[in-house]
Amino acid sequence: MKQLDSVEQFAYKFSLSAVSATCAETVTYPLDITKTRLQIQGEQVIRGGSAGGVPYRGMMGTALGIVQEEGFLQLWDGVKPAITRHIIYTGSRMGFYEFLRENVLLKKADGSFPIWKAVLGGLFAGGLAQFIASPADLVKVQMQMEGRRRLEGHPPRVKNMWHAFARIASEGGVRGLWSGWLPNVQRAALVNMGDLATYDSVKHALLRHTSLQDNYVTHAFSSGCSGLVAATMSTPADVVKTRIMNQPTKDGRGVLYEGSVDCLVKTVKQEGFWALYKGFLPIWARMAPWSLTFWLSYEQIRKLAGASSF
């Protein structure tokens, strides 16, 4: 590949990672909507209802319930804003991380990169990328809950992705599109601290200290480690993020929670500490195949495009 300047390199790798993210998001999206529905369970208590009426069905029960009550294709309800979000988010986070690794934090000539630098780069790249993509994430979460709202007899809030953007902007202004951005960014920073830092560190440690080559075996093992670490670190922030972004608003402000700390306290108080790990299984079950699909396809697309290995 010809020598590119920094802007061209960022745009080039943004495009490569966006293609890989679209593939991964489409394949694993049903697990994401299942996770979102699980995390919203329990809000009836906070809204003033009784705990006994909350349909705690677990991961498989929730997924089967969506299919039986709403239809098979509803497992992909909200996939358009999800893909839009990942094109922006994943393209940005990968570009930011590599820029920091190559030009600011500076990896060593042998390809090694100290874990503390990888953690710092992952935190910054993930947080900044998610802040940029936050409006699309807000729309995705609200669209994922439309099927459940219809079954409960509530009128639909949105018709499609663009209507959702317009509705949110009309009610809360442009700032309303960044509702819940703080827990969103916190979660993304944790996810990328786990995902990018773990994948980068494990992959290059394997290449330096074992006989494994830079191929799909190394990529698959590294992605498995990164998915598990990212899920463990990010689930509590993901629960808080989902609840804040799904809550009704009045004059651009949330009705149920004043902020991420308030949501965290109310969730633990009403439902217990382990409510913060609601959806861990589908989060991990989704992150594992998402990470595997993304990293395998991304490494291969880079290779086909003539770019160096990540």
Side-chain angles (χ1 to χ4, degrees), residues 89 119 122-124 126-127 183-198 226 229-238 287:
Y89 167 66
V119 166
L123 281 169
F124 182 82
N184 221 2
V185 167
Q186 291 168 341
R187 174 193 175 274
L190 291 172
V191 166
N192 283 278
M193 184 174 69
D195 182 33
L196 291 175
T198 301
S226 68
V229 173
T232 301
M233 298 187 66
S234 68
T235 299
D238 194 61
M287 278 190 174

Side-chain angles (χ1 to χ4, degrees), residues 47-66:
R47 292 173 189 262
S50 64
V54 181
Y56 292 99
R57 297 191 289 190
M59 176 184 170
M60 292 303 299
T62 299
L64 289 173
I66 293 173

Side-chain angles (χ1 to χ4, degrees), residues 216-291:
Y216 69 93
V217 176
T218 301
H219 303 159
F221 185 82
S222 302
S223 69
C225 293
S226 68
L228 180 60
V229 173
T232 301
M233 298 187 66
S234 68
T235 299
D238 194 61
V239 171
V240 171
K241 178 212 76 167
T242 300
R243 291 191 172 198
I244 286 180
M245 297 181 77
N246 185 64
Q247 69 176 322
T249 59
K250 183 176 181 181
D251 298 326
R253 294 181 175 273
V255 173
L256 298 177
Y257 313 109
E258 296 178 2
S260 57
V261 174
D262 182 51
C263 179
L264 180 73
V265 171
K266 285 182 177 177
T267 299
V268 173
K269 183 178 179 180
Q270 295 286 348
E271 303 169 59
F273 172 79
W274 292 110
L276 296 176
Y277 276 87
K278 278 185 177 181
F280 172 80
L281 183 58
I283 285 176
W284 176 75
R286 179 173 187 264
M287 278 190 174
W290 197 100
S291 184

Side-chain angles (χ1 to χ4, degrees), residues 98-115:
E98 282 203 75
F99 179 83
L100 290 170
R101 187 182 65 179
E102 306 297 330
N103 300 286
V104 180
L105 299 173
L106 302 176
K107 70 176 182 180
K108 297 179 181 178
D110 63 356
S112 61
F113 195 48
I115 186 65

Side-chain angles (χ1 to χ4, degrees), residues 12-26:
Y12 184 71
K13 292 177 179 178
F14 180 102
S15 301
L16 298 181
S17 60
V19 172
S20 302
T22 298
C23 295
E25 187 69 12
T26 303

